[in-house]
Amino acid sequence: MVTKALINPRPIFPSQIAHLYFKLFSSVPSLASRHEIETQLRFLCAKPTSQLPEAVSLFHKAVDSKLLPSGSVCNFLVEVLVKSKKYEYAFSVYSKMTHADILPGFRSLSGLIECFVHTRKPKFGLGVIGLLLRRGFSVNVYGINLILKGLCRNNEVDKAVDLFGEIKRNGVLPDAVSCNTVISGLCKMKRLEESLNILYQMDDLGCCPNLITYTTLMDGLCKEGRVDEAMELLEEMKKEGLNADVVVYGALISGFCNRGDFDKGKALFDEMLSKGISPNVVTYSCLMHSLCKMGQLKEATAMLNDMMEHGIRPDAITYTSLIGGLCRGGKATKAMVLLNLMLEKGEEPSIITYNVLINGLCQEGLVNEAYKILKMMIEKGMMPDVVSYNTLLKGLCKNGTVNEAVELFNMILKDNKYVEPDDMTFNLLIEALCKGNRLDEAVEIYHMMVGRGSSGNLVTYNLLMGSYLTVGIIDKAMEMWIHILELGFVPNSITHSIMIDGFCKMGMLNVAKGLFSKIRMSGLDPTLFDYNTLLASLCKESSIEQARRLFLELRNAKHEPDVISFNIMIDGTLKAGDFQSAKELFNDMLQMGLIPDAWTFSTLINRFSKLGLVDEAKSVFQKMVACGFTPDTNVYDSLLKGLCSKGETEEIFNLIQQMADKGVVLDSEITSTILKCICNSPEDVDVMKLLPTFSQETSKGIRIPCKELLLKLQECHPEGHKVNFFSYLHLFSESPTLSTQTVSAVTCIICAPSYKWHTQAAFLVAPWIARG
């Protein structure tokens, strides 16, 4: 404790400075008398031609020769060395003095405190305080402030607080410097309440808070998001007659901008200008960074121009903010232009600048350009850090160029000038290889990581365990599980989800259910993903009652079901033939405020249509359109088949017209369905007038092979039923996608002797054949 140090003071010196060997310089004259030595020492220490190494060498030689200089000269030499910041020399002289029983004076001891503080050994300065007290000297606040500063700089704030309290009890009153030093240390440690308490104690201590006091506190509050409290301090500061400077405004502007309140930050900026306070690069950079985060790049660029017009040179932070804003806005190529401008202006980018740009380029898939930035860094002598390489590796893996990622990884390992890869580096590559079904290579990377002294982290084992389960290698997956436990990692929700999903995919539903129950029994909450995984597996195995119980539990649990949960249950109940429960689930979903997705609507329409529940299918279709979804060909196909099964001709042609109006591109499946609907239409229906003209875009699968078309046509018209093929020709006569083989096949059927209208048919088809 500090108290103990003051009561039982004793000198403490580092062993490495107890004795220093100094080579005697040839310029040092031979030793004669003590008086001459003292004269030479004062001469060697005199400015502006001080030769301190020679002076120290002479001192050591004199002491070794039993020609001890006087105490005043020795103390003088220590003082000169401290003022010149030759701390190691000062230590050596002081040590020699004490061994020769020469008492150090007050100024020498005070200088010794400074030596300890500047060499980052402030606790030894406490011992010197004890020496001062033992020698009968009074301890002044200057020495205390030095130690406080040293302790705070070393993040030994608790010791600084103890010393601050102790000196008051020992009759030394702290001054504003003492208070500001401790306040600053506490603010850096985010101990704001304690720092504010010191502010409130300052009046009792007889010292007034100054601009530094308020600035330090406001900056600390702003960094913790307590900007409103900082503004209260600003008002208090004004009442004390102190005027805010650019540093105060900078702290407040930064606080508001970091909180996302750009308008208040800008208002303070304008207030600062109105008071004639010139903004600096910090204030501009804060506002520009905030504008970039909001996507207001034009405004940020305008502020950059304004900044330069006022003669303020943007720094790396300013440019990095703009580059980051451009990258977030998907304009990484423009960010590259800004980087070049930065270099032209002579501003050296920081490693953060490069990393931000590399990340932005990778996000847009411009991995080659990102690679060029990495090479540019190296060429300019700035070595990329592990973040640089990890960002590029992530971009390569995301882009699907896993082989290039492996090459970069190998390059990092082989060349000593590259950084040491961390767990994230290995995990990125392991994940990419696992996703690419290259598990063997992923395992090799894992073993390489272990061989380099890293055990990996939970992410590593989650990735490998999930991949082993996916390919059905249970024993290896269990090895990964054992590693997780042996290494002391705590399995998280992702770990459990991977195992439940893996066992479900392998058909080991009982194991998955057992693990799920164990999670709940251990007091953990299964995730919504876990519930959905089990629900899907239960429905797949037709265990619909178990699925219902689990779904009910989910609705009563911490998590609420999502759209996926409802989709799984709706599909499961429909497959079980329980359309009433499916309708209830759909209504519950809507009542909960969940918006069904396209899959929900498509499933319901398809199932209801197949079950002949056409009215229900139409109702769901209308809700689908009302929710803003665009039905695809599968939805139209299902609904057309349902309407056709009920013979609702008018509804069929209305739906076909709607399809044409929406620009639906026909594929082979829905073409066949429309054909069946037409063939089954009553004879008194004028199909030629009812059928619209469809989009002429080509859709995958629209070209129907001749044999397939013949079979479809034969299926579509039973014996004795009149088939209106003219309507079919009208439907597709404008489409260039049908081959001449298809046209010829249709023509053969139309012109067969069994059909009375073969002449008209041949006439209509002739343009097709000619065009083919």
Side-chain angles (χ1 to χ4, degrees):
M1 292 291 292
V2 174
T3 307
K4 189 174 182 181
L6 292 175
I7 295 174
N8 299 310
R10 59 188 179 87
I12 307 171
F13 305 106
S15 59
Q16 64 267 29
I17 60 169
H19 178 72
L20 293 176
Y21 175 79
F22 289 92
K23 182 179 179 180
L24 294 177
F25 291 81
S26 59
S27 59
V28 177
S30 300
L31 300 178
S33 65
R34 181 179 286 106
H35 175 71
E36 289 180 1
I37 291 170
E38 291 179 354
T39 303
Q40 292 171 22
L41 284 173
R42 291 184 182 278
F43 173 77
L44 291 170
C45 292
K47 291 183 179 180
T49 60
S50 59
Q51 302 175 52
L52 297 180
E54 290 88 336
V56 173
S57 180
L58 176 60
F59 170 81
H60 280 276
K61 187 176 181 181
V63 174
D64 293 340
S65 300
K66 307 302 182 184
L67 295 171
L68 294 176
S70 65
S72 61
V73 172
C74 291
N75 282 299
F76 168 74
L77 180 58
V78 172
E79 292 169 29
V80 171
L81 290 170
V82 171
K83 286 181 181 178
S84 303
K85 301 187 186 302
K86 304 293 184 181
Y87 301 120
E88 295 299 322
Y89 287 162
F91 279 134
S92 71
V93 172
Y94 180 84
S95 178
K96 203 86 169 183
M97 284 171 60
T98 56
H99 279 88
D101 294 327
I102 299 175
L103 293 176
F106 175 80
R107 298 177 74 174
S108 293
L109 290 171
S110 298
L112 195 61
I113 294 174
E114 186 175 341
C115 289
F116 281 124
V117 170
H118 281 89
T119 54
R120 293 191 174 271
K121 300 178 181 66
K123 63 181 180 180
F124 294 147
L126 295 173
V128 180
I129 294 289
L131 282 175
L132 284 166
L133 292 173
R134 191 167 63 181
R135 292 285 309 280
F137 297 118
S138 61
V139 179
N140 62 22
V141 74
Y142 175 79
I144 296 295
N145 288 345
L146 280 175
I147 297 174
L148 288 173
K149 180 181 178 181
L151 291 169
C152 290
R153 188 175 60 182
N154 284 1
N155 294 324
E156 298 178 272
V157 180
D158 286 330
K159 292 181 180 178
V161 172
D162 288 343
L163 177 60
F164 183 78
E166 187 66 30
I167 58 174
K168 290 185 290 182
R169 288 190 289 272
N170 282 272
V172 179
L173 285 179
D175 60 6
V177 175
S178 316
C179 296
N180 290 345
T181 302
V182 179
I183 285 172
S184 177
L186 289 167
C187 285
K188 286 178 181 177
M189 301 299 290
K190 301 181 181 180
R191 294 161 62 174
L192 296 174
E193 304 307 325
E194 294 175 72
S195 62
L196 287 167
N197 285 336
I198 292 177
L199 169 68
Y200 304 140
Q201 294 174 25
M202 288 182 74
D203 284 339
D204 295 336
L205 295 171
C207 54
C208 296
N210 55 25
L211 188 60
I212 295 174
T213 316
Y214 285 108
T215 303
T216 304
L217 284 166
M218 283 188 279
D219 182 61
L221 289 167
C222 288
K223 284 178 178 175
E224 289 300 297
R226 298 164 63 174
V227 193
D228 296 328
E229 294 176 65
M231 287 296 291
E232 291 175 7
L233 281 183
L234 177 65
E235 295 304 316
E236 184 180 320
M237 185 182 81
K238 290 178 180 177
K239 289 178 183 177
E240 295 292 331
L242 298 171
N243 294 320
D245 61 4
V246 67
V247 179
V248 172
Y249 277 108
L252 292 168
I253 290 169
S254 176
F256 279 117
C257 288
N258 289 336
R259 197 174 74 175
D261 198 340
F262 172 79
D263 292 337
K264 286 188 177 180
K266 182 62 165 60
L268 279 171
F269 182 79
D270 294 336
E271 178 185 314
M272 181 177 67
L273 294 177
S274 67
K275 290 184 176 182
I277 302 172
S278 299
N280 58 17
V281 67
V282 175
T283 49
Y284 273 112
S285 295
C286 288
L287 291 171
M288 289 166 60
H289 182 67
S290 187
L291 287 168
C292 289
K293 284 174 69 176
M294 294 188 295
Q296 299 181 19
L297 298 175
K298 288 184 179 178
E299 292 81 354
T301 304
M303 187 163 281
L304 175 68
N305 295 331
D306 181 69
M307 177 182 180
M308 290 190 289
E309 286 175 5
H310 282 82
I312 301 171
R313 179 178 174 177
D315 61 8
I317 297 174
T318 315
Y319 283 110
T320 302
S321 295
L322 280 170
I323 287 171
L326 288 166
C327 289
R328 281 191 295 272
K331 299 177 180 177
T333 50
K334 288 189 176 181
M336 290 180 69
V337 175
L338 186 59
L339 177 70
N340 292 330
L341 174 65
M342 181 180 181
L343 293 168
E344 288 174 9
K345 296 289 184 180
E347 187 64 42
E348 193 62 36
S350 68
I351 195 164
I352 297 174
T353 314
Y354 285 115
N355 288 347
V356 167
L357 184 53
I358 289 171
N359 183 60
L361 290 166
C362 288
Q363 290 289 333
E364 294 182 37
L366 303 172
V367 185
N368 290 334
E369 285 74 8
Y371 222 134
K372 291 176 183 176
I373 297 296
L374 187 78
K375 290 178 180 177
M376 181 194 296
M377 289 176 68
I378 297 170
E379 289 170 0
K380 288 186 172 294
M382 179 173 286
M383 296 311 300
D385 61 8
V386 72
V387 176
S388 315
Y389 287 112
N390 287 349
T391 305
L392 188 54
L393 276 172
K394 186 177 180 180
L396 289 166
C397 294
K398 183 181 177 182
N399 205 38
T401 52
V402 182
N403 290 334
E404 286 81 351
V406 173
E407 288 178 12
L408 177 61
F409 177 77
N410 291 331
M411 185 172 66
I412 296 170
L413 296 181
K414 288 178 182 177
D415 199 325
N416 292 330
K417 70 181 179 181
Y418 292 98
V419 297
E420 183 67 24
D422 60 8
D423 287 346
M424 185 178 181
T425 317
F426 288 103
N427 288 342
L428 283 168
L429 209 53
I430 289 170
E431 182 180 14
L433 291 167
C434 287
K435 285 183 178 178
N437 299 319
R438 297 162 64 174
L439 180 56
D440 291 341
E441 295 174 68
V443 173
E444 286 181 17
I445 298 295
Y446 164 71
H447 288 308
M448 185 185 300
M449 176 176 64
V450 173
R452 294 176 72 90
S454 173
S455 299
N457 54 27
L458 186 59
V459 175
T460 315
Y461 296 99
N462 282 346
L463 288 168
L464 290 171
M465 184 170 63
S467 297
Y468 277 129
L469 287 172
T470 300
V471 297
I473 308 177
I474 300 178
D475 56 337
K476 290 294 184 181
M478 292 302 97
E479 279 185 26
M480 294 298 111
W481 171 254
I482 291 169
H483 282 315
I484 288 173
L485 301 178
E486 288 179 344
L487 291 168
F489 298 130
V490 179
N492 58 14
S493 59
I494 297 173
T495 314
H496 296 134
S497 296
I498 286 170
M499 295 183 74
I500 291 172
D501 183 57
F503 287 127
C504 283
K505 286 177 178 176
M506 292 172 64
M508 301 172 67
L509 184 54
N510 287 333
V511 178
K513 288 193 292 185
L515 180 59
F516 184 84
S517 299
K518 188 175 180 180
I519 293 170
R520 288 185 299 183
M521 289 173 62
S522 63
L524 300 174
D525 292 318
T527 65
L528 182 58
F529 177 83
D530 298 334
Y531 277 102
N532 288 344
T533 301
L534 276 180
L535 283 173
S537 295
L538 289 168
C539 289
K540 186 178 179 181
E541 288 198 353
S542 301
S543 301
I544 192 68
E545 290 305 320
Q546 288 187 51
R548 282 183 174 132
R549 287 196 296 271
L550 185 63
F551 185 73
L552 182 62
E553 180 188 313
L554 170 59
R555 298 189 69 168
N556 296 327
K558 186 177 181 180
H559 304 288
E560 289 190 350
D562 61 0
V563 175
I564 296 173
S565 314
F566 276 101
N567 285 350
I568 291 168
M569 291 304 299
I570 288 170
D571 186 55
T573 52
L574 285 172
K575 284 179 179 176
D578 189 355
F579 68 90
Q580 184 60 37
S581 294
K583 286 170 61 177
E584 291 173 2
L585 283 165
F586 182 68
N587 291 329
D588 287 349
M589 189 177 181
L590 296 174
Q591 288 176 5
M592 284 180 62
L594 290 173
I595 300 175
D597 59 15
W599 193 93
T600 318
F601 289 114
S602 300
T603 301
L604 285 167
I605 293 167
N606 180 268
R607 295 290 179 186
F608 284 152
S609 297
K610 285 183 178 179
L611 292 168
L613 304 171
V614 181
D615 289 338
E616 285 82 354
K618 288 192 292 185
S619 174
V620 175
F621 179 82
Q622 290 167 359
K623 287 177 181 176
M624 181 180 188
V625 175
C627 287
F629 289 99
T630 302
D632 59 13
T633 54
N634 293 325
V635 172
Y636 283 115
D637 187 73
S638 298
L639 197 52
L640 281 172
K641 286 175 180 175
L643 293 170
C644 187
S645 68
K646 295 294 183 180
E648 298 187 18
T649 305
E650 185 177 351
E651 292 277 1
I652 288 171
F653 283 102
N654 287 339
L655 189 60
I656 292 173
Q657 181 63 57
Q658 185 179 332
M659 290 168 60
D661 293 341
K662 296 288 185 182
V664 175
V665 179
L666 305 180
D667 59 17
S668 60
E669 182 66 27
I670 200 165
T671 299
S672 176
T673 301
I674 294 173
L675 175 61
K676 290 179 181 179
C677 291
I678 293 170
C679 291
N680 290 326
S681 61
E683 292 186 23
D684 58 347
V685 173
D686 191 347
V687 177
M688 296 287 285
K689 290 183 179 180
L690 293 174
L691 281 174
T693 301
F694 278 87
S695 169
Q696 303 195 13
E697 293 180 40
T698 301
S699 176
K700 184 179 179 182
I702 198 169
R703 298 176 65 85
I704 306 173
C706 177
K707 290 183 179 180
E708 184 181 337
L709 180 60
L710 287 170
L711 290 172
K712 288 181 182 296
L713 289 170
Q714 289 171 3
E715 291 172 1
C716 289
H717 51 86
E719 186 67 27
H721 183 77
K722 179 179 177 181
V723 184
N724 193 343
F725 282 105
F726 295 126
S727 60
Y728 180 72
L729 295 179
H730 170 72
L731 181 62
F732 301 110
S733 61
E734 296 300 322
S735 174
T737 58
L738 293 174
S739 68
T740 54
Q741 281 185 314
T742 306
V743 176
S744 299
V746 176
T747 306
C748 291
I749 295 170
I750 296 173
C751 297
S754 58
Y755 295 102
K756 298 178 181 178
W757 52 89
H758 61 276
T759 304
Q760 296 176 357
F763 175 76
L764 286 171
V765 178
W768 269 3
I769 300 173
R771 185 167 45 195

